[in-house]
Amino acid sequence: MIKRLTLSACSALMLLGSPLLATAQNATTPTLQTRDGYLIVTRVDTRKCAYPMCGGYFVKAVNQALTRCADGSMQKECHAVQLNANALGWTSDQRAAFDAEFAQGHALVRGLLEPAPAGFYTADQLTITEAWQGQGLRNKPLGSFYSVKSTGIVCITAPCPSLAATKLNVIAPVLNPDLDLGLTGASDKQIQAGYEALGSTGILAVGAIVPVRLPALTGGTRKGSKLLASEFYLPAKP
């Protein structure tokens, strides 16, 4: 059965888009821990100059104020003129199909920015090891980004740590919230696929973890937390 939201959709969306929430997240976000990380496109590169100096898009590491660019510098966003998906075994058509979605901000990747030869020049290349496709509305995702998987724990009493939510790109405690994908705008079929993936590949989700009252097995309600997702991502199959 598809889990639904206990808060109103209006109040939840206001929370996800709250400037106070964004400020709190930015204030407590540590530095990116490794060279590779999860990245999203911020904008397409429309500058008028010669390839490969221009073209492609700009990207940033999620949950981070700064991103490590191909030249090793830390910037608010970094240039990437081409996507290297060789590690995923895609055909050129599959890479192009995914790249089109990624360029519009509808997908996430795990990878690193590095210099690569491009004829007589050096290109800013994004080399990826994971690719994730957005499932919901084509809006800008709001909130913090998490990896969410089933822990395999089955309880007979509540609360139960049946899900593990790990914040992407940072060293942070593992959280055990419930999950609600109902605000993402995805279809019932996509949402069901998201819940089913929790026990295998897991999903990536962006949103806010908020305190809620949840049903108790003995009746009444109990205190808990829930990840209200504004978007979620499944492994890409271009």
Side-chain angles (χ1 to χ4, degrees):
M1 180 181 294
I2 296 176
K3 301 178 182 178
R4 291 298 183 185
L5 198 60
T6 56
L7 300 177
S8 73
C10 180
S11 61
L13 283 172
M14 290 176 63
L15 173 63
L16 288 171
S18 167
L20 293 176
L21 174 64
T23 301
Q25 290 165 347
N26 292 337
T28 59
T29 300
T31 304
L32 184 65
Q33 299 298 319
T34 59
R35 284 192 66 209
D36 72 323
Y38 290 90
L39 300 109
I40 192 169
V41 168
T42 56
R43 58 191 174 100
V44 175
D45 184 6
T46 58
R47 295 176 298 169
K48 304 298 183 183
C49 65
Y51 177 91
M53 306 309 295
C54 297
Y57 30 71
F58 289 89
V59 301
K60 72 176 297 293
V62 301
N63 296 332
Q64 293 293 323
L66 298 176
T67 300
R68 189 183 302 278
C69 300
D71 63 1
S73 65
M74 301 296 291
Q75 305 292 338
K76 290 183 178 180
E77 60 179 7
C78 299
H79 182 238
V81 73
Q82 61 190 28
L83 190 69
N84 177 359
N86 292 343
L88 301 181
W90 290 347
T91 66
S92 59
D93 287 343
Q94 288 174 319
R95 187 204 59 77
F98 177 79
D99 186 65
E101 290 291 297
F102 181 63
Q104 298 303 313
H106 302 154
L108 292 179
V109 299
R110 183 173 187 175
L112 60 87
L113 291 153
E114 57 185 357
F120 295 106
Y121 301 94
T122 299
D124 298 327
Q125 176 174 276
L126 175 52
T127 300
I128 67 172
T129 55
E130 295 178 19
W132 298 80
Q133 180 66 54
Q135 303 297 304
L137 293 174
R138 301 308 172 96
N139 296 329
K140 182 178 180 180
L142 300 172
S144 295
F145 290 76
Y146 296 88
S147 169
V148 187
K149 293 193 70 172
S150 170
T151 62
I153 297 175
V154 178
C155 308
I156 59 174
T157 59
C160 179
S162 59
L163 294 179
T166 306
K167 206 170 185 180
L168 298 180
N169 289 342
V170 299
I171 295 176
V174 177
L175 304 175
N176 305 108
D178 283 1
L179 175 66
D180 197 303
L181 303 177
L183 288 177
T184 62
S187 67
D188 285 350
K189 183 178 180 180
Q190 289 171 308
I191 291 175
Q192 190 65 47
Y195 287 123
E196 290 173 355
L198 293 171
S200 53
T201 61
I203 68 171
L204 303 184
V206 53
I209 296 179
V210 299
V212 292
R213 301 297 302 185
L214 299 171
L217 294 179
T218 56
T221 61
R222 60 176 176 84
K223 292 181 179 180
S225 62
K226 181 174 288 190
L227 172 53
L228 305 179
S230 62
E231 174 64 295
F232 71 100
Y233 305 82
L234 295 175
K237 297 178 181 178

